Amino acid sequence: MLANTLSPSQWPRVPRRRPSWLSPKVLRTEVLGGLVVALALIPEAISFSIIAGVDPAIGLFASFTMAVTIAVVGGRPAMISAATGAVALVIGPLNREHGFGYLVAAVILAGVFQIVLGALGVARLLRFVPRSVMVGFVNALAILVFLAQVPELRDVPWAVYPLVAAGLTLMVFFPKVTTLVPAPLVSIAILTTITVAAGIAVPTVGDKGALPSALPVPGLPDVPFTPDTLTTIAPYAFAMALVGLMESLMTATLVDEITDTRSNKTRESVGQGIANIVTGFFGGMGGCAMIGQTMINVKVSGARTRLSTFLSGVLLMVLCIVFGPVVSEIPMAALVAVMVMVCFATFDWHSIAPKTLKRMPAGEITVMVITVGCVVATHNLAVGVIAGSVTAMVIFAKRVAHLADVTSVTDPDGSHVVYSVTGELFFASSNDLVTRFDYAGDPDKVVIDLSSAHIWDASTVAALDAIETKYAQRGKTVEITGLNEHSARIHRTLSGELSPGH
């Protein structure tokens, strides 16, 4: 009725919520963050292309399409996805053995696998990754990023070393003057100006490879669409899907902690798949989240929205196509300084402080060391995370197994004995449960009280069946009491069904 009595100009106005990135301050941060990331992506993408055995333009195209696509469909704002070394290591052998067409087909199939895995809830598996593995993951990434810079400091002109030192000094002290412009961007600009103006001969971005001069065009992979092709690419695609998802989800979790925000891991999983499919159809080598560039964007530049991710891809192509000659003159020393700074910012120094190590349980330290060691040795983050998680589970199972205990009390008249079982009963703790009873010396009636215990698996039910059988062979009866609802259901379902005869 109100709408019929008021003119449209008099209708109450509903305030429109303006996107946060439209704020001038946020917009400046996002744009400059995207620019710094774009500059850092160029040599990285070229290096990863070499690892995969493809033309440098392929890695740059992949970084462009991954960043632009994931900015729209991803679940973690401000995280950077592009061509990565882990993916290059997985699919490089396929390219060398079967050709570039098979590599592209594998990237597309890997994207399909990632969408399926994301829809099946693979992100929920992160709940089983302990904090010690996460700390090891972060520290290993910092070490790998640092090791990747070492080749840029070997057999180079002496001028490289003072340039790197100057870049680090600028990034440490410039934020004390102002934070309006990211320190890495200032460092890159100043060092480039110095080397060009003074004519200092040092390795530059252009020495890494030719930059593309045009945008990528979509197309189908040049492979026969046959079952043989599918069986050839499927193992590589599945490995790429797993490695890509693990790196992306772990990096997303790290960014969640840094920004004190939550992200949609399922959407991120599906988004990674969509981004790889798009990248494959544009002839890219695929990719996943990048820890180094993400730390530049989030921790160094302070970016927080999807705009910085989107612009990192767009500005990457702008820099290559429009400003290629200028970008080619950037000294590698400037970018090495940026990445070394990222390493120091990423590494969890508190985790190796003597005070922390004294208080930390030995098992936690072991898990962290194994995670770091496996990642650094294999250059494969997935291997380290899996090895660390399995080690943590073994240590946990061993620790919990010791909590199970059996005590017995014989009735004064000797008519029966009560065994009280306490603790968590599963395969690790119940295996020696059978040995804790006096089958020959106990009276004819035996009561096993499980009111302070919990049955978790079939191994425990089988152990209880074995105990009953041993007493029955001596003409004695066993009564099991005190089962909680969950334990009673497992025991009722499986008891008597686990012997070889069944």
Side-chain angles (χ1 to χ4, degrees):
M1 295 296 294
L2 181 63
N4 294 331
T5 60
L6 298 177
S7 64
S9 62
Q10 295 175 309
W11 289 356
R13 296 189 175 222
V14 178
R16 295 182 179 179
R17 188 175 180 181
R18 188 173 66 170
S20 61
W21 53 266
L22 285 179
S23 162
K25 182 179 179 180
V26 175
L27 183 61
R28 181 183 65 246
T29 300
E30 299 299 310
V31 172
L32 294 177
L35 178 58
V36 176
V37 170
L39 288 169
L41 277 174
I42 294 174
E44 293 276 299
I46 294 174
S47 298
F48 298 148
S49 300
I50 294 171
I51 293 174
V54 298
D55 188 80
I58 303 303
L60 291 166
F61 287 155
S63 296
F64 162 62
T65 53
M66 285 292 298
V68 169
T69 306
I70 205 66
V72 178
V73 301
R76 174 62 261 180
M79 190 168 75
I80 305 298
S81 290
T84 60
V87 168
L89 287 170
V90 171
I91 61 174
L94 178 64
N95 178 59
R96 288 188 287 271
E97 294 173 16
H98 299 279
F100 180 66
Y102 282 83
L103 181 149
V104 173
V107 170
I108 296 172
L109 183 58
V112 174
F113 283 146
Q114 287 178 328
I115 292 175
V116 173
L117 290 170
L120 292 175
V122 69
R124 288 194 290 270
L125 294 176
L126 276 182
R127 292 181 300 174
F128 298 98
V129 178
R131 183 185 179 279
S132 52
V133 174
M134 188 68 190
V135 172
F137 168 80
V138 171
N139 291 346
L141 284 171
I143 293 171
L144 286 184
V145 172
F146 179 80
L147 292 177
Q149 312 313 310
V150 173
E152 304 298 336
L153 300 174
R154 290 177 179 166
D155 302 322
V156 293
W158 68 267
V160 167
Y161 303 109
L163 285 173
V164 172
L168 291 171
T169 303
L170 280 168
M171 283 183 285
V172 169
F173 291 103
F174 186 79
K176 300 180 185 300
V177 179
T178 179
T179 57
L180 292 177
V181 182
L185 184 59
V186 174
S187 177
I188 292 170
I190 291 177
L191 294 185
T192 302
T193 302
I194 291 174
T195 54
V196 172
I200 302 174
V202 292
T204 63
V205 170
D207 297 331
K208 286 287 183 179
L211 302 181
S213 57
L215 290 172
V217 293
L220 294 174
D222 184 19
V223 295
F225 293 90
T226 62
D228 287 342
T229 299
L230 182 62
T231 56
T232 299
I233 66 174
Y236 295 94
F238 191 66
M240 174 185 163
L242 291 178
V243 170
L245 281 183
M246 189 167 293
E247 285 205 37
S248 300
L249 293 176
M250 294 288 283
T251 304
T253 302
L254 176 61
V255 177
D256 288 353
E257 292 183 3
I258 293 173
T259 60
D260 289 326
T261 57
R262 295 186 65 183
S263 59
N264 189 329
K265 304 299 189 301
T266 298
R267 177 177 174 179
E268 182 62 38
S269 302
V270 174
Q272 288 289 329
I274 295 172
N276 273 305
I277 291 174
V278 171
T279 297
F281 280 119
F282 275 91
M285 56 180 277
C288 62
M290 298 188 75
I291 183 68
Q293 277 65 21
T294 297
M295 289 299 100
I296 291 175
N297 195 44
V298 174
K299 206 164 186 179
V300 179
S301 300
R304 291 293 183 270
T305 76
R306 298 176 184 274
L307 181 61
S308 57
T309 305
F310 180 82
L311 288 177
S312 69
V314 172
L315 292 175
L316 172 64
M317 282 293 101
V318 171
L319 289 171
C320 290
I321 296 173
V322 180
F323 300 102
V326 176
V327 173
S328 296
E329 295 298 322
I330 295 175
M332 285 302 300
L335 297 176
V336 167
V338 172
M339 298 311 294
V340 169
M341 199 69 186
V342 169
C343 297
F344 279 96
T346 303
F347 196 91
D348 187 349
W349 297 101
H350 176 72
S351 67
I352 61 170
K355 191 178 293 186
T356 303
L357 294 176
K358 285 180 181 179
R359 296 178 180 176
M360 191 75 68
E364 302 285 321
I365 298 174
T366 301
V367 170
M368 183 178 69
V369 170
I370 288 176
T371 303
V372 172
C374 288
V375 171
V376 173
T378 65
H379 285 228
N380 190 323
L381 296 166
V383 170
V385 172
I386 292 172
S389 297
V390 170
T391 303
M393 291 178 186
V394 171
I395 292 174
F396 174 76
K398 185 178 179 181
R399 185 182 303 152
V400 174
H402 288 302
L403 299 179
D405 193 22
V406 179
T407 57
S408 63
V409 177
T410 304
D411 188 80
D413 62 7
S415 61
H416 68 280
V417 61
V418 178
Y419 283 91
S420 294
V421 182
T422 61
E424 307 301 320
L425 301 179
F426 63 111
F427 62 89
S429 59
S430 60
N431 282 337
D432 65 344
L433 194 63
V434 180
T435 65
R436 307 292 295 275
F437 294 83
D438 185 3
Y439 302 100
D442 283 341
D444 291 343
K445 184 179 180 181
V446 177
V447 177
I448 302 177
D449 182 9
L450 297 176
S451 56
S452 298
H454 189 101
I455 297 176
W456 287 104
D457 59 5
S459 296
T460 303
V461 177
L464 292 173
D465 284 353
I467 293 169
E468 290 187 84
T469 300
K470 287 181 179 293
Y471 277 116
Q473 290 171 348
R474 293 168 173 80
K476 301 175 182 181
T477 60
V478 175
E479 179 185 359
I480 297 176
T481 64
L483 290 170
N484 58 39
E485 183 180 350
H486 179 269
S487 300
R489 185 167 58 252
I490 293 180
H491 187 263
R492 183 171 57 251
T493 302
L494 298 177
S495 183
E497 301 295 326
L498 300 173
S499 64
H502 294 277

